[in-house]
Amino acid sequence: MWIGLLCGFGTGALWGLTFVAPRAVQPYSEVDLAVLRYVAFGMISLILMAANRRFRPGKLSMRRILLALWLGLSGYVIYYLFVAFSIRYAGPAVAPLVIGALPVVLAIIGNWQEKAVRWRALALPLGLISMGLLTVQGGALMSAGTAAARGDVLLGFMLALGALVVWSSYAMVNARAMRAADAPGALAWTSLQGVGAMVGVVPLILLAPLMGWSRVPELGMNNPEFTRLVAWALATGILGSWIAQLMWTIASQRLPLALSAQLIVSETLFALLYGFAFEARWPAITEWTGGALLIGGVLLGVHAFTRRQTP
């Protein structure tokens, strides 16, 4: 069990890098990081597929291969862009806390499809999550000094909700594919998603300079900032994508569902820790309070479902 716990917390620590990386690579843009990150993810996937047959799709149907490529595009590229721009507009706390509600959101969707828990039992968890999100959002709005700044905070909050929707959809489709009778191997499935993520950033490579989304034409590549951009791209592309996915698979295999579901919250905790450390400040009282309410609501929600499933 200790190996599973270490892998679970390690996954949260690596996934949390996604929330600080867009700010760490400035003055380069979020799109610059996305392109390099997912090119790195895709290239390591192709290298592994060429070197070892366990990483290849094998007898997967074309439909399954296309699904994996789409999951790589949506679950990595589209999700990351929502998160990155949310952090730009709303700061380091809003996006991690909104996405931290993921375990309960997925459980609610499952309960809607096949009722396992009375909705009354979810009133307290959902109330705490809602109060937590409103507290953090309200604090961010109050700290915004102008109408334009408050508009940015609201835009960031909506982008974080978009990221939550994208990741929820990804998680449901991916889980359904892995539970099928002819489920693909985890290594091959992850490799295909890495290729899909790389293919997904090709339009960005072409459009970013034309649309002004990239700072590379302006800043060039012969400077320390670009070296830092490459380092973060490799860290998030290899550690935050490939290694994190492998560690999460190990954690899921070694831990009970009730425990592994709660460990997803560690991503939020690490993301907040990284964000506040990067800004060299302590969380505001609204961020402390909102984070505690949301995490408490998530843990209570997971407990409500797992307690019903344990017998």
Side-chain angles (χ1 to χ4, degrees):
M1 176 173 284
W2 284 107
I3 294 176
L5 287 171
L6 289 174
C7 287
F9 282 112
T11 302
L14 293 177
W15 279 347
L17 293 173
T18 299
F19 295 88
V20 72
R23 309 187 83 182
V25 301
Q26 292 177 358
Y28 288 93
S29 72
E30 300 88 345
V31 175
D32 293 328
L33 177 60
V35 169
L36 290 179
R37 174 184 180 177
Y38 293 118
V39 166
F41 185 22
M43 290 303 298
I44 192 66
S45 298
L46 288 174
I47 291 171
L48 291 171
M49 291 169 71
N52 192 317
R53 61 184 180 86
R54 290 186 301 169
F55 295 85
R56 301 170 192 165
K59 297 181 180 179
L60 284 181
S61 66
M62 181 56 64
R63 180 175 175 273
R64 281 296 183 89
I65 291 175
L66 291 175
L67 176 61
L69 295 176
W70 165 249
L71 288 174
L73 168 62
S74 62
Y76 290 94
V77 180
I78 297 175
Y79 167 77
Y80 164 78
L81 291 175
F82 271 114
V83 168
F85 282 100
S86 173
I87 293 170
R88 171 194 280 195
Y89 291 112
V94 172
L97 288 174
V98 170
I99 296 167
L102 176 66
V104 174
V105 170
L106 292 176
I108 289 172
I109 293 173
N111 200 53
W112 196 280
Q113 296 173 345
E114 184 177 345
K115 189 173 181 180
V117 175
R118 292 182 178 180
W119 291 110
R120 184 174 58 186
L122 297 176
L124 179 59
L126 292 178
L128 290 176
I129 290 172
S130 300
M131 289 173 60
L133 294 178
L134 289 174
T135 300
V136 174
Q137 179 68 8
L141 286 172
M142 286 188 295
S143 64
T146 65
R150 289 191 290 273
D152 286 345
V153 171
L154 287 174
L155 175 59
F157 182 73
M158 296 305 296
L159 289 169
L161 289 177
L164 179 62
V165 171
V166 170
W167 189 248
S168 299
S169 174
Y170 166 87
M172 289 186 296
V173 175
N174 189 65
R176 191 178 301 120
M178 295 303 292
R179 290 172 186 158
D182 56 343
L187 295 176
W189 194 244
T190 304
S191 298
L192 284 171
Q193 292 188 28
V195 174
M198 183 172 64
V199 172
V201 296
V202 170
L204 292 179
I205 297 174
L206 302 175
L207 290 175
L210 298 175
M211 302 298 293
W213 299 337
S214 172
R215 299 293 305 278
V216 173
E218 174 187 352
L219 299 173
M221 295 182 287
N222 188 24
N223 56 70
E225 288 79 11
F226 186 78
T227 302
R228 186 171 68 245
L229 171 66
V230 172
W232 274 98
L234 292 174
T236 53
I238 298 175
L239 296 177
S241 298
W242 240 111
I243 303 300
Q245 184 63 42
L246 179 60
M247 292 176 69
W248 184 249
T249 300
I250 296 172
S252 300
Q253 292 171 341
R254 291 175 176 265
L255 298 176
L257 176 61
L259 184 54
S260 62
Q262 293 178 57
L263 287 179
I264 296 177
V265 181
S266 68
E267 177 189 8
T268 297
L269 297 177
F270 278 107
L272 293 172
L273 176 64
Y274 296 155
F276 295 132
F278 182 80
E279 292 192 342
R281 68 175 177 90
W282 287 100
I285 185 63
T286 54
E287 293 167 337
W288 277 115
T289 305
L293 288 170
L294 184 136
I295 292 170
V298 169
L299 295 180
L300 284 176
V302 172
H303 176 68
F305 281 95
T306 54
R307 182 179 61 180
R308 172 65 178 82
Q309 294 170 358
T310 298

